[in-house]
Amino acid sequence: RTYLASDTDFESFGFLALKQYINPEEVLSQAEAEFGAMKRLKSKYFPHIHDIYSAVNDVHVKMDYIPGPTLQQVETEFPWQIDRWRVFALQLLEAVEILEENQLLHRDIKPANIILQEGDNHPVLIDFGFALRQGAVARMAGSPLYLPPEAHSLASTAIPPTCDRYEVGGILFKALLGFLPFSLPKGMKRLPVY
């Protein structure tokens, strides 16, 4: 669960997002690693992590609140004009590049996990619940519509290092054309290319 809160001792912080895990004993070691890695990320494309607390506390992660709609909430505006799309595309790809430079994989980049920051609408990636260090051994995770095709057929421990870029590619395609690359709007059909 995630809650919106303010710190009465530090009102200058403004609003904060407080993350609470349902079964913290089971997931907190992963969350500590994930948010510990995020804590080192200093970029407008990620929420700032203030604190990580132990499983016995009511709150497990304290981070910046990011005001603005998710990309999923503005999908009805797709397809975007090329100028708006280009700015968004460059910024989203820059966010993924920062993750790669820090050897991190988000593994669940989808419209619901991208907030368009109030003011300048730059993308902020949220929900790092499946995030891992590149090369880590883990089961495949993420949203099936955005996972690369090889993710569905690989052994459970093989995480493609390009999965974040594939997910971003699907999002950018949808933002530009209004539908995912492997689905067609009603009334359209695929024609073979000779």
Side-chain angles (χ1 to χ4, degrees):
R1 301 178 194 142
T2 304
Y3 300 94
L4 180 63
S6 62
D7 191 328
T8 56
D9 293 332
F10 300 98
E11 290 183 13
S12 63
F13 280 171
F15 287 110
L16 298 167
L18 304 177
K19 195 162 189 90
Q20 180 185 46
Y21 293 99
I22 307 271
N23 299 311
E25 312 78 31
E26 297 173 17
V27 298
L28 207 56
S29 63
Q30 165 63 30
E32 286 173 340
E34 162 207 337
F35 288 109
M38 278 186 64
K39 201 169 183 175
R40 293 187 295 275
L41 293 177
K42 305 292 182 210
S43 169
K44 69 180 185 177
Y45 302 119
F46 313 104
H48 174 73
I49 305 300
H50 294 279
D51 290 302
I52 303 167
Y53 302 102
S54 69
V56 297
N57 292 316
D58 287 337
V59 172
H60 303 117
V61 180
K62 180 169 71 174
M63 66 182 88
D64 283 347
Y65 165 69
I66 310 298
T70 66
L71 189 62
Q72 184 177 34
Q73 291 170 319
V74 300
E75 282 183 325
T76 56
E77 300 171 10
F78 293 166
W80 280 348
Q81 294 296 315
I82 193 72
D83 292 338
R84 181 178 184 190
W85 177 88
R86 183 177 186 280
V87 169
F88 173 75
L90 291 172
Q91 291 174 332
L92 190 55
L93 288 167
E94 185 177 345
V96 170
E97 190 173 320
I98 292 168
L99 289 175
E100 290 171 348
E101 288 168 357
N102 285 276
Q103 301 294 303
L104 292 172
L105 289 172
H106 184 284
R107 299 196 314 149
D108 196 21
I109 300 176
K110 61 184 179 182
N113 289 340
I114 300 169
I115 293 178
L116 299 175
Q117 172 86 43
E118 251 178 34
D120 68 357
N121 282 327
H122 72 269
V124 178
L125 290 177
I126 61 168
D127 196 354
F128 280 72
F130 293 134
L132 290 174
R133 289 225 160 264
Q134 285 183 7
V137 175
R139 292 189 332 231
M140 188 50 62
S143 299
L145 275 179
Y146 294 94
L147 285 174
E150 62 271 17
H152 299 284
S153 62
L154 292 173
S156 64
T157 58
I159 308 297
T162 56
C163 69
D164 286 350
R165 287 197 178 261
Y166 183 90
E167 292 166 340
V168 166
I171 290 165
L172 295 177
F173 187 99
K174 186 173 184 179
L176 184 61
L177 297 173
F179 56 93
L180 288 168
F182 42 81
S183 64
L184 292 172
K186 284 186 176 182
M188 292 183 77
K189 62 181 180 176
R190 283 190 206 283
L191 298 174
V193 177
Y194 298 100

